[in-house]
Amino acid sequence: MAETFYLTTAIHYPNGKPHIGHAYETIAADVLARWHRLQGREVRFQTGTDEHGLKMAQKARDLGITPRELADEMSGHFRALFDKLDLSYDRFIRTTEAEHHTASQAIWQAMEASGDLYLDRYEGWYSVRDEAYYDASELTEGDGGEKLSPQGTPVEWTVEESWFFRLSKYQEPLLALYRDNPDFIQPEARRNEVMRFVEGGLRDLSVSRTSFDWGVKVPGHEDHVMYVWVDALTNYITGLGYPDMDGDMAKFWPADLHLIGKDIVRFHTVYWPAFLMSAKIALPKKVFGHGFLLNRGQKESKSLGNVTDPADLADRYGVDNLRYFLLREFSFGQDGSYSAEAIVNRSNSELANSFGNLAQRTLSQVFKNCEGSLPAISGHTPEDEALFALVDKAVRQEMPPAYDQLAFAQALEAWMGAVFACNAYIDAQAPWALKKTDEQRMRDVLGTLYICIAQLAVAVLPVMPGSMTRLLDAMGLAPELRTLAGIGSHWYSQLAESDFRLAKPEGIFPRLELPAEEA
């Protein structure tokens, strides 16, 4: 039985169309899912939309439609974008699904059975935009004298009857979790922030609302709906069939990774494990809080007029170019900045000029000088062996741990180093000149490059699945060889002796031009 790997993104709040941050997180998760499949694991990759809460109810009221109509429309935009971005999710969950209501009510009843829920009156500061309660000590004052949450969102004083969860009971168990499992929260800076927060003392958490009814009903108290985080966080087990603990729950839970934005780390590393402890469900293995994606160094906002539609970026620059750029340009986990110029420059210099040109030059010479047949290799020189060793080191030794640690930029840096080495090799060996002086050596050089290009293409299949699949299809590499274990060089002689013929190569990464409005 194959080893399993279960990862999730945050489920995205659809009170508006998806923005570049949604694309960034879900692309990163998709790369991880594809990477683990490349290693032969059975992967479960879940994303979706978080459709309840006061923000959705207010937005729908403002538009003159029902919350369900708004949820259906906006969730559709997210799904369309994710399909455009070539995301290989196994489950797109919506919290309005009947099975999610069942799961949320089941975990509520499990927490109630542990004695961790009680009815009381809530008075305090609430942020509608964050769907979160804040202590007065966490608030700051805005320019207009209004009170703001730590995220800079406005808060309002709220008074209503509420069910409470005994979060304070779990302060010491949570601290023990962080101490005993230092990798549970990553990167380390996020872990330190959460530990300081919990060490400062935990208050019991309001987990229901009566001021609106767009949400999951509290079992036995239908005038209450669940506070959105009980509802939202439960999606990670809803998608595996909870409360049925057999089947996918037994197979994939606990989750190997929750991949989320840094602004919701507290909810995933304090509230969620406490809920699970109370419900006597195993805890996820790791939560990774990535940084924000900034537009020319600024956070996107409608007031600044700098909100970018990620679908437009994909149409303009290409899906794989965008995927590559977002994970290559800056370290995942930290904030990063993007611009049209940066996307074009990175794509042209590394994809078009370096790897794309390498593949085009090599395959064109095989097509032209070998009549499309793969050249038989008679032997290898020390230069050939040195190139094989360098590419193998990048693909098998440097990239795997970087992918595993979500160090995407480092993985792609190692990949690009191997691409540069291949370009230096083809320039030094000059197979176009060998055609006239040593035809067998030309064949050996082209065969060496063919093997290296296939290995490099497989190594970045998780990042650029569309273009690398087209390249490997053209090169005749069987799908079962497109794994970390399968992509050696043993396949080459068999393919060369077959009736495979290389068709006239086509460029995989055309050069991009900066749009006129950006130039």
Side-chain angles (χ1 to χ4, degrees), residues 160 190 192 237-238 298 304 416 447 481 509:
E160 62 181 305
R190 312 269 188 264
N192 293 338
I237 52 178
T238 299
Q298 290 184 308
L304 292 174
M416 186 50 57
L481 296 174
F509 292 113

Side-chain angles (χ1 to χ4, degrees), residues 395-418:
V395 169
R396 295 181 185 276
Q397 298 179 39
E398 296 176 335
M399 295 181 73
Y403 273 130
D404 288 340
Q405 295 162 19
L406 284 72
F408 303 113
Q410 289 176 246
L412 295 174
E413 178 71 22
W415 181 78
M416 186 50 57

Side-chain angles (χ1 to χ4, degrees), residues 69-95:
E69 288 171 331
L70 175 63
D72 288 346
E73 177 189 353
M74 291 300 169
S75 185
H77 289 306
F78 278 82
R79 193 154 196 163
L81 173 66
F82 292 171
D83 291 345
K84 176 186 281 287
L85 295 175
D86 205 3
L87 304 181
S88 61
Y89 54 85
D90 300 289
R91 177 75 153 90
F92 186 99
I93 194 165
R94 298 182 57 188
T95 56

Side-chain angles (χ1 to χ4, degrees), residues 12-150:
H12 309 292
Y13 206 70
N15 63 328
K17 291 184 178 180
H19 55 65
I20 189 65
H22 297 122
Y24 178 51
E25 176 174 302
T26 319
I27 286 171
D30 181 63
V31 170
L32 281 175
R34 291 178 182 274
W35 165 247
H36 286 285
R37 293 189 193 109
L38 203 66
Q39 297 181 86
R41 297 189 177 106
E42 184 178 356
V43 172
R44 177 82 170 193
F45 167 26
Q46 179 167 304
T47 188
T49 44
D50 171 17
E51 300 174 15
H52 293 134
L54 183 56
K55 280 188 292 188
M56 288 291 286
Q58 290 179 341
K59 177 78 171 184
R61 182 192 61 208
D62 294 344
L63 294 173
I65 59 177
T66 66
R68 182 58 191 245
E69 288 171 331
L70 175 63
D72 288 346
E73 177 189 353
M74 291 300 169
S75 185
H77 289 306
F78 278 82
R79 193 154 196 163
L81 173 66
F82 292 171
D83 291 345
K84 176 186 281 287
L85 295 175
D86 205 3
L87 304 181
S88 61
Y89 54 85
D90 300 289
R91 177 75 153 90
F92 186 99
I93 194 165
R94 298 182 57 188
T95 56
T96 47
E97 296 171 15
E99 63 189 283
H100 179 68
H101 284 242
T102 298
S104 299
Q105 291 173 334
I107 196 172
W108 180 282
Q109 289 168 327
M111 294 190 294
E112 190 173 37
S114 294
D116 289 336
L117 297 174
Y118 62 92
L119 193 61
D120 205 338
R121 178 182 176 85
Y122 178 78
E123 294 187 21
W125 296 103
Y126 182 73
S127 166
V128 174
R129 282 169 57 183
D130 296 348
E131 297 283 10
Y133 298 100
Y134 294 104
D135 186 77
S137 63
E138 299 180 84
L139 305 181
T140 57
E141 191 168 300
D143 294 338
E146 71 279 15
K147 293 190 179 297
L148 302 176
S149 76

Side-chain angles (χ1 to χ4, degrees), residues 250-462:
K251 186 174 188 178
F252 290 104
W253 191 261
D256 293 273
L257 176 67
H258 291 320
L259 184 61
I260 58 169
K262 66 180 183 180
D263 54 332
I264 54 174
V265 168
R266 180 189 302 181
F267 307 108
H268 285 77
T269 60
V270 180
Y271 301 168
W272 181 225
F275 295 160
L276 291 171
M277 289 176 187
S278 175
K280 298 177 174 55
I281 299 171
L283 307 186
K285 298 175 185 177
K286 181 181 291 187
V287 177
F288 190 101
H290 63 78
F292 290 143
L293 196 58
L294 308 176
N295 188 338
R296 299 180 184 276
Q298 290 184 308
K299 196 170 181 180
E300 292 194 344
S301 72
K302 292 179 181 178
S303 60
L304 292 174
N306 66 346
V307 176
T308 305
D309 183 345
D312 289 345
L313 291 178
D315 289 338
R316 180 176 290 182
Y317 304 115
V319 170
D320 278 359
N321 296 65
L322 179 63
R323 288 171 61 110
Y324 180 85
F325 170 82
L326 290 176
L327 298 183
R328 171 76 169 107
E329 187 75 2
F330 32 77
S331 295
F332 194 73
Q334 300 176 7
D335 290 350
S337 185
Y338 76 97
S339 66
E341 297 96 327
I343 296 172
V344 168
N345 291 339
R346 180 72 72 176
S347 296
N348 286 344
S349 65
E350 296 189 353
L351 298 182
N353 294 352
S354 294
F355 185 73
N357 189 44
L358 170 69
Q360 185 69 6
R361 285 200 289 174
T362 302
L363 301 190
S364 292
Q365 288 183 66
V366 171
F367 177 77
K368 178 182 177 182
N369 296 336
C370 306
E371 293 77 43
S373 297
L374 298 198
I377 298 173
S378 63
H380 291 296
T381 67
E383 291 82 4
D384 303 344
E385 297 290 358
L387 184 66
F388 280 138
L390 191 150
V391 171
D392 188 74
K393 180 181 179 183
V395 169
R396 295 181 185 276
Q397 298 179 39
E398 296 176 335
M399 295 181 73
Y403 273 130
D404 288 340
Q405 295 162 19
L406 284 72
F408 303 113
Q410 289 176 246
L412 295 174
E413 178 71 22
W415 181 78
M416 186 50 57
V419 171
F420 289 155
C422 288
N423 277 306
Y425 171 88
I426 194 174
D427 289 341
Q429 298 298 318
W432 49 87
L434 289 171
K435 171 72 174 175
K436 299 177 181 178
T437 60
D438 189 343
E439 189 165 335
Q440 184 53 56
R441 179 58 188 156
M442 176 203 73
R443 292 177 178 276
D444 293 344
V445 168
L446 291 177
T448 297
L449 284 166
Y450 203 95
I451 293 168
C452 289
I453 289 167
Q455 292 174 335
L456 290 169
V458 170
V460 288
L461 261 172

